[in-house]
Amino acid sequence: MRTKPFTDLDLNRSVGNLLRLGVLLSVVTSLVGFIKLFMEGFVMPKKYKLLDMGTTSEKVWGQFWNSLMKGEGMAIIQLGILFLILTPLVRIIFALIGYLKEKDYVYVVISLIVLAIMTVSFLTGYAH
């Protein structure tokens, strides 16, 4: 059985569907988080404490995962935002695979460079 070749149209359609799915997943997750947050009796705080500048990223991620495992609404909203942030990163990986299938090596190299920049920025928090 012969399969049809992978074309630019297939790649564009797949990437478009991936972006739609990422945004939809983010919106649904955030909406669930908002509903859960208000069911928990969320009240806006009267005073905001200054951010602790000595907080490490490990501590922040640890607090996030602990809150998420408890099913807290704010953590679910943050998960939705994380899905939204990761959607372009997954899109680049998806496009990279498509370019490899098309044997379009110029775009493979460009995608690898963009992926490396985004990954370093995401992991180090360095944005400019």
Side-chain angles (χ1 to χ4, degrees):
M1 183 166 89
R2 188 173 165 179
T3 61
K4 78 174 196 166
F6 192 76
T7 65
D8 285 340
L9 182 62
D10 295 327
L11 178 61
N12 289 335
R13 188 175 293 129
S14 298
V15 167
N17 288 336
L18 176 72
L19 292 173
R20 278 187 216 91
L21 178 66
V23 171
L24 183 64
L25 182 63
S26 172
V27 168
V28 169
T29 304
S30 296
L31 185 60
V32 168
F34 277 115
I35 292 168
K36 180 84 166 89
L37 184 66
F38 285 105
M39 286 175 49
E40 293 168 354
F42 176 72
V43 177
M44 294 296 289
K46 302 272 188 230
K47 294 182 182 179
Y48 293 93
K49 293 185 340 186
L50 293 175
L51 291 174
D52 180 21
M53 295 310 217
T55 303
T56 63
S57 62
E58 292 84 15
K59 185 176 179 182
V60 170
W61 281 105
Q63 290 172 346
F64 166 70
W65 289 115
N66 286 337
S67 296
L68 189 60
M69 292 301 118
K70 293 176 187 172
E72 295 177 7
M74 187 59 74
I76 296 171
I77 293 169
Q78 291 170 338
L79 180 64
I81 294 169
L82 188 60
F83 285 150
L84 191 62
I85 291 169
L86 291 177
T87 297
L89 190 65
V90 174
R91 180 250 188 258
I92 292 170
I93 294 168
F94 205 75
L96 176 66
I97 293 167
Y99 295 140
L100 283 169
K101 281 183 151 186
E102 289 181 343
K103 296 181 173 44
D104 192 345
Y105 298 113
V106 171
Y107 283 107
V108 168
V109 170
I110 292 169
S111 295
L112 284 171
I113 292 169
V114 171
L115 184 62
I117 291 169
M118 286 185 70
T119 302
V120 167
S121 296
F122 183 74
L123 293 176
T124 63
Y126 186 74
H128 16 272

